[in-house]
Amino acid sequence: MTEASAKEPLVLFMPSGKRGRFPVGTPVLEAARKLGVYVESVCGGRATCGRCQIEVQEGNFAKHKIVSSLDHISEKGPKEERYEKIRGLPEGRRLSCSAQILGDLVVDVPQDTVINAQVVRKAASDRVIERNAAIQLCYVEVDEPDMHKPLGDLDRLKVMLEKDWGWKDLLIAPHLIPQVQSILRKGNWGVTAAIHRDMDSSRPFIVGLWPGLKNEAYGVACDIGSTTIAMHLVSLLSGRIVASSGTSNPQIRFGEDLMSRVSYVMMNPDGREAMTKAVREAVNGLIGKVCAEGEVDRHDILDMVFVANPIMHHLFLGIDPTELGQAPFALAVSGALQYWAHELEIDVNRGARLYTLPCIAGHVGADAAGATLAEGPYRQDRMMLLVDVGTNAEIVLGNRQRVVAASSPTGPAFEGAEISSGQRAAPGAIERVRIDPQTLEPKFRVIGVEKWSDEEGFAEAAASVGVTGICGSAIIEVVAEMYLSGLISEDGVVDGAMAERSPRILQNGRTFSYLLHDGEQRITVTQNDIRAIQLAKSALYAGIKLLMEKQGVDHVDTIRFAGAFGSFIDPKYAMVLGLIPDCDLNEVKAVGNAAGTGALMALLNRDHRREIEQTVNRIEKIETALEPNFQQLFVNAMALPNKVDPFPELAKVVTLPERKAPADDGGGDGGGRRRRRSRE
């Protein structure tokens, strides 16, 4: 450090903690820029946009060896006073473009939601998304035409964007070129340009141009699931989530599960086009919905980030997904992609860009990449299991040393399909179940009704929605509760001998079932239902165990359930069932739509795009079907909770039944399971 620089004032920015020395008279905004501290500004230091607000902290900050004082910052100048008079400044706030450094300072960058918000807080945690959006708004005042300087209007605009904002070698979206002259004249030569700096080309693009000062731009983060499409509308300048909404994926009419949609494409010549059109129309409808809710013009949307499973990803982009329907499950493209949104018929600003996260493998998609970005197993030392339970479960396991991923074909049983009384989660569906181990009597809760079924007033409250079936979360709970109460053996066989204790044990030929509710809709849990759940949970658990073997670990430190279904699973019952491996229950958490959170992170900070692109390249993809040990792991996982794996953490909170030999269920399964065990 030179003697001159040592005498220069020391400036510390909070909460980032970045610090540096700057000459007296340096604007605070310029100091922030040089240190890489995010302070928003649109007007280019003219003190008109008001987005660069800061606060000076007073006091002796011994830890940082700084004495900070209001005397160490310049007094308000005429521009700042004019802004305060017209727009108002909260007490203690200054405009960093006008305020100059006179001495040592501790500067706080306020974390408001409207002006200069640097964070978006995720409901499930206090996650901070530091912002570095791909879009920047830049106001400039362009020189008027001069007969002696025959430079074109667009070229003079570029000159000012370089002079005021440092943008060199700018490209421009072709649709804007015919509009440049009229926009400049309408703005009396003062215009706001939107610069997009995350293109395939390293050169930044002018993607939007408005007369005068444009003080807001929006982005969309969207997760296209096979059942539901979820969307956030976000201010790219403040980071505020303006509106969030979801809608059902209209492709369901072509097939409930992914493979049936691939089959539809294979069987119908125009099947791919029909499904692509349907999902794009749904996305456009959802954009209209969030914009109406947030009172935003959809043409102010300038950037978009999408995640989806591989088949949804391909169909949304207009790619035939047929190859994903058969081995070796080849993706047409696995890397991140960039489009002009209008190329995909998305009705937003003509210059809006659209980015898709990379896919990890043939059936581990951009949604799993988004969830991986959001939860960050690769950012920590502990071994994290991230699992998204759906028709096709996506599993990621790892830490900062190594991350492995796989998909496991769980089938639609957890979503209510293949279950005799199963249904999707909707009003009238049973969502929670408890069985008294002494009386074997059940009680349950129904979606849309606050009371449990054994509480006074339940029947009246349930009359409007009915008791119509059983959804995924309750399917897990009822099978686990039947096991804990001794109704089924560890091999999943309903014990017919229990019929002596309860009239709810019903005989169906050579098998037995459990009567959960006897009403207008008779809801039973049959032996076949239990088998379907065992097959689904075994596929998932075997996939997880395979990844654990690849990692060389016999336990995981923390588990994250992603996806809508994961939000409703009770971790204790998931473990009793043997859906997930043993783990401290305090370390098992539902993280909601983590894929959507990952999309949001990539929208608000382009560095996250590079982060997940590099991470996906390092993730090792395991194809479960090719692993010789998968079948044995699957067989072991058919038992509740597992034939060979211990569950010491679970045993601390749940009394697991004594292992008992199954009664003959009359089918091949029961006898086959016992014979297999005797050979083992």
Side-chain angles (χ1 to χ4, degrees):
M1 186 182 290
T2 66
E3 191 179 338
S5 67
K7 292 175 184 172
E8 290 173 347
L10 179 62
V11 183
L12 170 70
F13 285 92
M14 300 300 286
S16 69
K18 293 178 179 175
R19 55 196 286 162
R21 292 190 178 274
F22 298 92
V24 169
T26 303
V28 176
L29 178 61
E30 187 182 320
R33 289 268 159 82
K34 285 181 176 172
L35 289 175
V37 174
Y38 189 89
V39 179
E40 185 62 70
S41 173
V42 172
C43 66
R46 292 174 175 80
T48 54
C49 73
R51 290 195 165 273
C52 66
Q53 294 177 25
I54 49 101
E55 290 177 4
V56 171
Q57 301 299 312
E58 287 199 282
N60 185 349
F61 296 83
K63 179 184 169 188
H64 302 290
K65 298 190 175 80
I66 295 177
V67 176
S68 179
S69 164
L70 289 176
D71 296 335
H72 295 174
I73 196 164
S74 62
E75 292 185 359
K76 290 175 184 169
K79 287 183 181 177
E80 203 170 353
E81 285 179 342
R82 186 189 68 222
Y83 179 88
E84 185 172 28
K85 187 176 177 184
I86 296 170
R87 302 271 298 276
L89 265 176
E91 192 176 346
R93 293 280 179 91
R94 296 293 304 273
L95 297 182
S96 63
C97 63
S98 294
Q100 296 175 353
I101 299 163
L102 303 180
D104 292 354
L105 286 172
V106 174
V107 175
D108 187 42
V109 181
Q111 315 252 320
D112 298 345
T113 54
V114 180
I115 296 291
N116 209 8
Q118 198 170 0
V119 304
V120 170
R121 297 207 177 273
K122 181 169 163 277
S125 70
D126 262 354
R127 175 197 315 278
V128 173
I129 303 175
E130 192 170 328
R131 289 191 307 114
N132 181 17
I135 291 287
Q136 185 180 350
L137 294 185
C138 303
Y139 176 81
V140 288
E141 291 174 354
V142 180
D143 292 340
E144 294 187 33
D146 184 339
M147 288 180 70
H148 301 290
K149 297 176 186 172
L151 206 57
D153 286 0
L154 172 59
D155 304 274
R156 289 198 315 283
L157 168 63
K158 289 182 181 179
V159 166
M160 293 312 295
L161 284 166
E162 181 174 351
K163 182 182 170 200
D164 287 2
W165 293 91
W167 292 112
K168 292 181 181 177
D169 211 16
L170 280 166
L171 297 168
I172 184 166
H175 76 278
L176 286 174
I177 296 172
Q179 304 173 38
V180 169
Q181 290 193 311
S182 62
I183 292 170
L184 281 167
R185 283 156 181 79
K186 191 174 179 184
N188 198 23
W189 306 100
V191 294
T192 304
I195 312 295
H196 192 286
R197 48 188 170 168
D198 193 53
M199 302 294 213
D200 305 319
S201 154
S202 59
R203 293 170 66 182
F205 254 82
I206 303 171
V207 296
L209 193 66
W210 297 268
L213 179 68
K214 175 82 170 172
N215 213 5
E216 193 57 279
Y218 296 92
V220 157
C222 185
D223 174 18
I224 303 178
S226 45
T227 308
T228 306
I229 305 171
M231 184 178 287
H232 296 299
L233 174 67
V234 190
S235 160
L236 294 176
L237 298 187
S238 71
R240 178 173 55 105
I241 297 179
V242 178
S244 299
S245 192
T247 187
S248 59
N249 188 330
Q251 292 178 347
I252 284 174
R253 68 176 180 263
F254 302 102
E256 283 236 341
D257 60 76
L258 294 170
M259 284 306 153
S260 60
R261 292 182 208 177
V262 174
S263 298
Y264 186 88
V265 172
M266 294 167 77
M267 305 287 287
N268 296 275
D270 60 349
R272 200 279 303 155
E273 289 86 346
M275 277 197 271
T276 296
K277 183 169 186 258
V279 72
R280 289 179 180 175
E281 283 178 355
V283 167
N284 276 323
L286 198 50
I287 291 168
K289 192 173 172 184
V290 290
C291 285
E293 188 183 319
E295 298 180 345
V296 166
D297 183 339
R298 67 190 299 147
H299 299 107
D300 282 344
I301 293 171
L302 294 171
D303 202 16
M304 313 183 83
V305 173
F306 280 74
V307 295
N309 62 55
I311 289 168
M312 293 300 97
H313 169 278
H314 280 36
L315 286 170
F316 174 64
L317 298 178
I319 301 168
D320 189 325
T322 302
E323 292 298 328
L324 289 166
Q326 58 210 357
F329 313 112
L331 289 154
V333 56
S334 54
L337 295 171
Q338 291 258 17
Y339 288 84
W340 295 103
H342 70 79
E343 291 175 329
L344 301 182
E345 298 158 353
I346 305 301
D347 180 15
V348 286
N349 188 287
R350 174 83 177 172
R353 294 292 289 175
L354 189 150
Y355 172 87
T356 66
L357 267 68
C359 291
I360 296 174
H363 284 294
V364 189
D367 51 352
T372 302
L373 174 62
E375 297 308 313
Y378 58 91
R379 294 192 291 261
Q380 58 182 300
D381 295 320
R382 298 198 303 164
M383 188 60 66
M384 175 189 278
L385 171 65
L386 175 61
V387 57
D388 189 340
V389 184
T391 308
N392 193 65
E394 295 171 319
I395 317 162
V396 178
L397 177 70
N399 55 21
R400 68 174 78 251
Q401 264 71 51
R402 183 186 182 205
V403 181
V404 292
S407 67
S408 205
T410 47
F414 291 131
E415 296 177 350
E418 299 180 351
I419 305 297
S420 58
S421 298
Q423 68 165 87
R424 290 200 181 278
I430 295 173
E431 61 171 342
R432 293 272 175 260
V433 178
R434 301 290 180 268
I435 297 174
D436 187 302
Q438 263 66 53
T439 65
L440 304 182
E441 282 298 300
K443 66 175 183 175
F444 52 81
R445 277 189 61 172
V446 171
I447 297 174
V449 180
E450 286 296 311
K451 297 176 183 291
W452 283 81
S453 60
D454 62 342
E455 291 181 302
E456 194 175 330
F458 169 81
E460 293 79 6
S464 59
V465 293
V467 181
T468 53
I470 182 166
C471 73
S473 59
I475 290 166
I476 288 172
E477 290 189 10
V478 74
V479 176
E481 281 278 319
M482 287 174 74
Y483 172 61
L484 291 174
S485 59
L487 285 165
I488 57 177
S489 69
E490 63 160 350
D491 283 320
V493 178
V494 181
D495 187 350
M498 301 291 272
E500 297 170 11
R501 282 181 52 192
S502 172
R504 289 187 176 271
I505 307 299
L506 309 174
Q507 187 160 4
N508 312 103
R510 298 179 63 192
T511 64
F512 294 86
S513 58
Y514 178 72
L515 179 62
L516 183 59
H517 174 67
D518 196 5
E520 197 171 316
Q521 293 272 39
R522 202 162 194 249
I523 298 170
T524 60
V525 181
T526 70
Q527 185 64 65
N528 284 341
D529 294 341
I530 293 166
R531 283 284 176 261
I533 290 300
Q534 283 178 282
L535 290 167
K537 75 101 174 178
S538 299
L540 176 56
Y541 191 92
I544 293 168
K545 280 293 289 185
L546 205 55
L547 296 189
M548 289 171 69
E549 287 185 356
K550 294 289 179 187
Q551 288 279 22
V553 298
D554 59 5
H555 73 283
V556 297
D557 299 314
T558 182
I559 298 175
R560 297 289 180 266
F561 271 120
F565 181 46
S567 300
F568 298 102
I569 297 174
D570 185 315
K572 180 176 79 174
Y573 288 105
M575 215 173 278
V576 170
L577 190 67
L579 188 69
I580 50 175
D582 190 57
C583 182
D584 178 352
L585 279 169
N586 293 320
E587 290 290 346
V588 185
K589 293 184 172 63
V591 290
N593 185 8
T597 302
L600 189 61
M601 290 169 69
L603 177 69
L604 285 172
N605 190 328
R606 62 202 175 103
D607 295 336
H608 286 313
R609 304 182 187 188
R610 308 295 87 79
E611 180 185 337
I612 194 59
E613 288 163 11
Q614 291 161 15
T615 299
V616 165
N617 285 336
R618 294 202 319 270
I619 292 176
E620 296 172 48
K621 297 84 178 173
I622 310 299
E623 183 51 65
T624 54
L626 301 178
E627 294 292 329
N629 201 25
F630 183 79
Q631 191 59 37
Q632 185 57 52
L633 292 171
F634 183 89
V635 168
N636 292 343
M638 283 292 287
L640 302 171
N642 192 278
K643 184 70 74 183
V644 295
D645 290 351
F647 280 75
E649 292 292 339
L650 178 62
K652 291 176 185 176
V653 292
V654 176
T655 304
L656 293 170
E658 295 268 329
R659 299 203 159 186
K660 66 176 180 177
D664 188 0
D665 70 347
D669 281 331
R673 300 246 7 96
R674 286 202 304 284
R675 286 194 298 275
R676 184 180 291 116
R677 188 167 57 172
S678 67
R679 287 201 302 273
E680 290 164 0

